Amino acid sequence: MVIEMELIEKLAILADGAKYDASCSSSGSRRISKNTFGNTSFSGICHSFSSDGRCISLLKILMTNCCMFDCKYCLNRKSNDIKRAIFTPEEVCKITINFYKRNYIEGLFLSSGIIKSPDYTMELMIETIELLRKKYHFGGYIHAKAIPKCSEYLLKKLGFLVDRLSANIELPTDEGLKLLAPNKNSSNVNKIMNYINNNKSKKFVPAGQSTQMIIGATKETDLDVMKKSEFMYNKYKLKRVFYSAYVPVNKDKLLPTIKIPPLTRENRLYQADWLLRFYNFKVEDILDKKNPNFNLLLDPKADWALRNLNEFPKEVNTCSYQDLLKIPGVGIVSAKRIIKSRNLFNITFKDLKKMGIVLKRAKYFLTCNGRYFMDINFFKSSFIEKNLILEDKKNITENIEQLTLFNE
Amino acid sequence: MNKSKSIFLYNYSFLSLLNLIKKLIQNKIVPNDIKNYDYQANLFDNTINLKVPEDEKVINDIINHFGVNILNIMFKVFLSNEQYKELIIYYFWLYSIKYKNKVVYMRNLKVVNKALKISKYVGKEAHRLKGFLRFSELENNVLYAEMAPENNIIIFLSMHFKKRLKNEFWIIKDVKRGILSVYNKKDYFFINENEYKLLTKNVSNEEKNIRNLWKTFYKNISINERKNIRCQMNFMPKKYWQYITEMRDDNEENYK
Ligand code: SF4
């Protein structure tokens, strides 16, 4: 029996059920739209930041938190005794439009528990988003989660209505899925990713697809995680993989007994993900069977550089762009600046600072006009490691999402 | 010998400043400073008003010689709060003559580096406020927002919301500078607060409910186990909170 519930209570329940999805991005869409109410911003816009420091860009909600499945890690699983709610399509539209008008949000992120059947759930979501686009002429950003095992014609229909459509791989390994989400398997998710990748166009899922993995709910290694990401980036041209540190919401003998989510590990994975996508690193450069997990004390790039000290120093006035990218403390923007500037003048250490290079990190790995920043005697790997770790400690508590705001 | 400082005056606008600088450079005059008409001269100042006509041609001159990117940087510096912004633009212009569009790679030059930094800072604040600005719906259906940014970025917000909320009436007020941007579903225009009176500041019937819905969402979307206030403040500095709905108490709300 469904009891009438205040809209505000529904919103509380259905935001609560949606918040564990890490995806926040509202960028990358160049959808051509005749809709007159709202638009999208290619670079994405953060509208607020919640007290956990995460960006709020979209109205992130579930259509319903009723679910026929029982994934062990999930707040909404069938066996949990929690309040259940379901939005009507009109209610979702009302909230979205009113929030958008006041500039609270960039658009809607709609996901759902699975109610009755995958197709039934998808139809409910499609009805909602169709209403939003056609009746309310909403032109803002919409990200929808596809429900695994739904029919292809529904995927097609939804894909033409939204900016981003995605399916969550949930856990990095098939064994993990079998253990914690026995109703799911990765081939159903792969099918969706494949379909979206094959049909992507200016009108169909123009902002591309993303996915997310929960980290630390099973015994996977960082190597497992990164291999999975590398595979999905290559095969399905994903825009992003989101890593979500496991938050213990349920008690279950199959779940790890941790109290605090593994946030530092999550941070390392995001940094490594960045290295794969923009710095031309391969997974085997930074992890292997002997070292399958990241050093929690050092970021993956610095860790790699220390293990490969023989490749350094790089001379900033002559080395290649690719080599510049390998230097800890040199990012993409600053590497490009170096390339452009050194045609015009000889770069000194003073100039590097102005170009945004983090000298505290970079000074061990580069020379300017053949000279080190300081006495060569300091260049023992143990000394460097100690100093980099000190530097890193200061940053560790800050979230990596800072990096993800403006680039995608 | 104590030479008095020559300070050149311009008529507030970007166009007036550009025309003045062009004239100075053409006549090989090196100013000690450039200020707008509000400048309070002191005893040793020698203020000079060349009354250069405001010719729009100068815009094209800059674009043709240095590129539109350079014009954008100059404009953003102009909108900043920097004390010597006019002088920075003057020297940035001089270097642009020498290095053309490549001047942006000359960060080893102090003034160039400074101009680039300021311009980036202004752009960043404009981008931030595209997210942080909050409209309230007034009883006459007008969407009304107040803000107090460091830099004079109202023009960037106006361009943004002209596209985004093109079928709404909206008004944005920069409380710090007393400027309003008023949009009439066709275009926006800027007007001084003394010359414009809002018909009403009462909010619509729905406004309170929607604000409560938003605050509820805001509270519930946060994961307690991940609490990180420092990170939150880094991204959303406290100086903006006064105008952000979800960061205020209801009884602080200045239009109810
Ligand atoms: S299918 Fe989704 S909503 Fe349902 S229990 Fe599994 S993770 Fe939770």
Side-chain angles (χ1 to χ4, degrees):
Chain A
M1 193 186 73
V2 182
I3 313 159
E4 273 303 312
M5 202 187 267
E6 287 262 9
L7 189 56
I8 198 159
E9 193 184 353
K10 277 194 193 181
L11 180 61
I13 294 171
L14 295 171
D16 211 46
K19 70 180 164 197
Y20 298 100
D21 199 302
S23 160
C24 73
S25 152
S26 61
S27 60
S29 190
R30 291 198 208 272
R31 182 166 37 83
I32 304 159
S33 153
K34 288 194 201 79
N35 281 356
T36 44
F37 180 73
N39 61 358
T40 58
S41 153
F42 189 74
S43 53
I45 295 174
C46 288
H47 286 254
S48 191
F49 288 88
S50 49
S51 56
D52 52 20
R54 297 190 304 164
C55 148
I56 300 176
S57 175
L58 304 172
L59 171 64
K60 192 189 288 179
I61 47 172
L62 300 174
M63 196 73 224
T64 178
N65 65 340
C66 300
C67 191
M68 47 195 254
F69 286 172
D70 201 49
C71 308
K72 298 286 179 271
Y73 49 81
C74 176
L75 181 67
N76 309 311
R77 65 176 180 171
K78 188 171 68 186
S79 58
N80 273 4
D81 182 22
I82 53 167
K83 260 199 174 170
R84 306 282 170 172
I86 180 165
F87 275 128
T88 65
E90 275 290 352
E91 284 169 338
V92 174
C93 292
K94 180 187 165 182
I95 302 175
T96 309
I97 295 294
N98 274 294
F99 280 10
Y100 194 86
K101 219 193 304 201
R102 289 164 178 77
N103 203 39
Y104 299 163
I105 54 170
E106 205 50 27
L108 173 67
F109 177 119
L110 191 61
S111 179
S112 186
I114 305 171
I115 184 169
K116 284 190 188 159
S117 73
D119 276 3
Y120 180 85
T121 312
M122 278 285 272
E123 275 164 10
L124 208 58
M125 293 168 74
I126 291 172
E127 188 189 337
T128 305
I129 293 171
E130 212 166 25
L131 198 67
L132 204 47
R133 289 284 197 227
K134 303 214 164 127
K135 181 174 164 194
Y136 293 95
H137 308 287
F138 181 64
Y141 193 94
I142 300 181
H143 177 174
K145 281 275 160 205
I147 307 293
K149 282 195 187 156
C150 72
S151 308
E152 206 168 274
Y153 77 95
L154 292 174
L155 268 185
K156 183 172 174 185
K157 196 163 178 194
L158 188 52
F160 280 110
L161 292 166
V162 298
D163 296 277
R164 170 166 287 180
L165 183 60
S166 62
N168 283 351
I169 195 81
E170 307 285 13
L171 295 167
T173 63
D174 285 349
E175 300 84 69
L177 270 180
K178 241 177 235 145
L179 189 70
L180 298 184
N183 307 91
K184 295 189 171 171
N185 75 56
S186 59
S187 72
N188 292 325
V189 176
N190 290 345
K191 239 196 235 154
I192 295 178
M193 291 183 177
N194 211 14
Y195 182 82
I196 296 172
N197 188 35
N198 289 339
N199 291 283
K200 191 181 176 297
S201 75
K202 266 187 195 152
K203 288 189 173 150
F204 185 86
V205 195
Q209 54 177 334
S210 62
T211 193
Q212 91 149 354
M213 282 188 248
I214 299 166
I215 300 308
T218 59
K219 292 207 171 67
E220 81 282 343
T221 62
D222 291 342
L223 182 62
D224 294 330
V225 177
M226 294 321 297
K227 278 273 173 212
K228 187 86 190 176
S229 294
E230 192 174 48
F231 168 78
M232 291 188 295
Y233 279 128
N234 291 337
K235 178 124 195 238
Y236 307 119
K237 308 278 171 302
L238 296 190
K239 280 278 157 64
R240 285 290 299 277
V241 175
F242 290 95
Y243 306 92
S244 175
Y246 167 68
V247 180
V249 287
N250 299 327
K251 283 216 170 69
D252 197 299
K253 59 180 188 311
L254 295 173
L255 291 171
T257 49
I258 56 162
K259 286 215 177 67
I260 305 158
L263 293 175
T264 309
R265 184 177 174 210
E266 181 192 278
N267 189 9
R268 294 292 175 240
L269 288 165
Y270 273 116
Q271 288 171 324
D273 183 270
W274 212 254
L275 293 181
L276 292 192
R277 285 189 297 145
F278 302 112
Y279 290 77
N280 298 312
F281 278 80
K282 300 257 177 321
V283 175
E284 59 259 31
D285 296 335
I286 43 180
L287 293 170
D288 53 44
K289 286 232 165 70
K290 268 193 229 140
N291 296 297
N293 289 308
F294 289 119
N295 183 349
L296 288 182
L297 294 174
L298 259 185
D299 73 86
K301 193 173 169 189
D303 198 45
W304 173 85
L306 274 175
R307 279 186 281 114
N308 294 276
L309 265 186
N310 56 318
E311 288 209 19
F312 296 96
K314 311 276 187 200
E315 166 56 49
V316 290
N317 279 301
T318 52
C319 78
S320 71
Y321 175 69
Q322 295 305 334
D323 279 351
L324 284 173
L325 286 183
K326 299 214 156 125
I327 304 172
V330 177
I332 293 173
V333 174
S334 39
K336 283 186 180 148
R337 279 180 190 158
I338 290 174
I339 295 283
K340 296 279 189 188
S341 297
R342 71 188 187 187
N343 294 330
L344 299 163
F345 61 92
N346 224 310
I347 296 174
T348 66
F349 282 105
K350 225 168 114 199
D351 303 328
L352 284 180
K353 255 191 198 147
K354 288 184 193 151
M355 292 174 177
I357 281 94
V358 190
L359 262 189
K360 277 187 212 156
R361 306 185 73 79
K363 63 186 173 192
Y364 309 103
F365 305 100
L366 54 78
T367 54
C368 276
N369 305 307
R371 294 225 322 272
Y372 268 116
F373 186 69
M374 48 191 191
D375 194 331
I376 189 89
N377 293 327
F378 288 111
F379 290 87
K380 288 203 195 79
S381 113
S382 57
F383 173 83
I384 302 174
E385 182 166 356
K386 209 173 79 212
N387 281 284
L388 285 181
I389 288 174
L390 274 177
E391 274 310 309
D392 232 30
K393 264 202 183 132
K394 289 184 209 149
N395 301 322
I396 231 164
T397 40
E398 299 194 12
N399 208 315
I400 188 69
E401 274 181 47
Q402 182 173 8
L403 293 170
T404 68
L405 297 182
F406 302 104
N407 305 289
E408 177 149 3
Chain B
M1 194 178 76
N2 217 342
K3 250 175 111 186
S4 69
K5 289 209 292 183
S6 51
I7 294 169
F8 290 83
L9 299 181
Y10 70 102
N11 170 23
Y12 305 103
S13 75
F14 186 51
L15 202 57
S16 162
L17 174 65
L18 292 185
N19 277 294
L20 172 60
I21 294 178
K22 186 179 168 186
K23 181 113 193 166
L24 292 176
I25 290 177
Q26 273 170 352
N27 294 304
K28 298 202 162 61
I29 302 173
V30 180
N32 289 106
D33 205 351
I34 305 173
K35 290 280 179 236
N36 69 31
Y37 287 167
D38 287 342
Y39 181 69
Q40 304 279 336
N42 66 41
L43 212 53
F44 305 104
D45 288 343
N46 172 24
T47 57
I48 304 159
N49 187 354
L50 295 180
K51 296 206 177 104
V52 186
E54 291 178 34
D55 188 347
E56 288 191 17
K57 222 178 116 265
V58 69
I59 300 282
N60 279 329
D61 285 351
I62 294 175
I63 294 175
N64 293 338
H65 288 120
F66 318 134
V68 70
N69 188 20
I70 304 299
L71 179 70
N72 277 331
I73 292 166
M74 290 176 174
F75 187 48
K76 282 183 185 154
V77 174
F78 173 72
L79 296 177
S80 77
N81 240 352
E82 177 68 34
Q83 190 184 358
Y84 295 108
K85 59 187 184 184
E86 292 90 351
L87 216 50
I88 292 172
I89 296 174
Y90 172 89
Y91 282 105
F92 185 65
W93 189 323
L94 279 184
Y95 282 122
S96 299
I97 293 172
K98 184 159 178 203
Y99 294 104
K100 302 285 184 290
N101 59 349
K102 290 206 171 66
V103 68
V104 295
Y105 304 123
M106 301 302 292
R107 274 173 202 266
N108 55 337
L109 304 170
K110 223 167 153 189
V111 171
V112 173
N113 192 37
K114 184 112 195 166
L116 292 172
K117 275 210 169 127
I118 297 168
S119 139
K120 193 174 163 204
Y121 176 64
V122 171
K124 186 175 169 190
E125 187 174 46
H127 183 80
R128 269 183 163 163
L129 273 156
K130 282 179 195 171
F132 296 159
L133 196 76
R134 296 286 178 267
F135 286 104
S136 292
E137 189 180 62
L138 303 181
E139 59 186 353
N140 55 3
N141 273 328
V142 171
L143 297 171
Y144 176 68
E146 290 183 352
M147 61 171 183
E150 299 284 312
N151 304 292
N152 186 10
I153 53 163
I154 200 164
I155 182 161
F156 298 112
L157 297 181
S158 301
M159 294 192 293
H160 176 71
F161 287 105
K162 182 186 169 179
K163 284 191 210 132
R164 175 155 290 196
L165 299 173
K166 62 178 162 213
N167 289 331
E168 313 287 325
F169 291 110
W170 51 252
I171 296 171
I172 301 169
K173 179 172 181 184
D174 181 336
V175 176
K176 234 184 202 167
R177 294 168 186 81
I179 310 170
L180 295 104
S181 173
V182 181
Y183 177 72
N184 62 7
K185 296 195 184 183
K186 274 204 189 76
D187 218 337
Y188 53 82
F189 50 96
F190 300 114
I191 194 155
N192 201 292
E193 63 181 335
N194 308 323
E195 293 158 32
Y196 191 87
K197 195 156 162 31
L198 286 176
L199 293 172
T200 175
K201 261 200 174 190
N202 295 334
V203 297
S204 69
N205 292 332
E206 264 213 318
E207 184 58 24
K208 258 232 155 96
N209 289 334
I210 304 292
R211 279 183 197 166
N212 280 335
L213 280 172
W214 172 241
K215 286 181 183 178
T216 301
F217 174 79
Y218 180 76
K219 219 171 65 220
N220 279 279
I221 205 66
S222 177
I223 299 177
N224 289 335
E225 289 86 346
R226 300 182 61 120
K227 201 164 194 114
N228 190 343
I229 299 290
R230 211 183 76 184
C231 191
Q232 177 194 31
M233 297 241 260
N234 263 346
F235 291 129
M236 191 162 67
K238 245 188 160 152
K239 62 183 176 194
Y240 298 121
W241 287 14
Q242 191 191 347
Y243 297 97
I244 298 179
T245 314
E246 62 273 24
M247 306 313 284
R248 305 164 56 111
D249 289 336
D250 264 332
N251 39 17
E252 274 180 58
E253 215 77 61
N254 47 358
Y255 25 98
K256 290 188 188 144

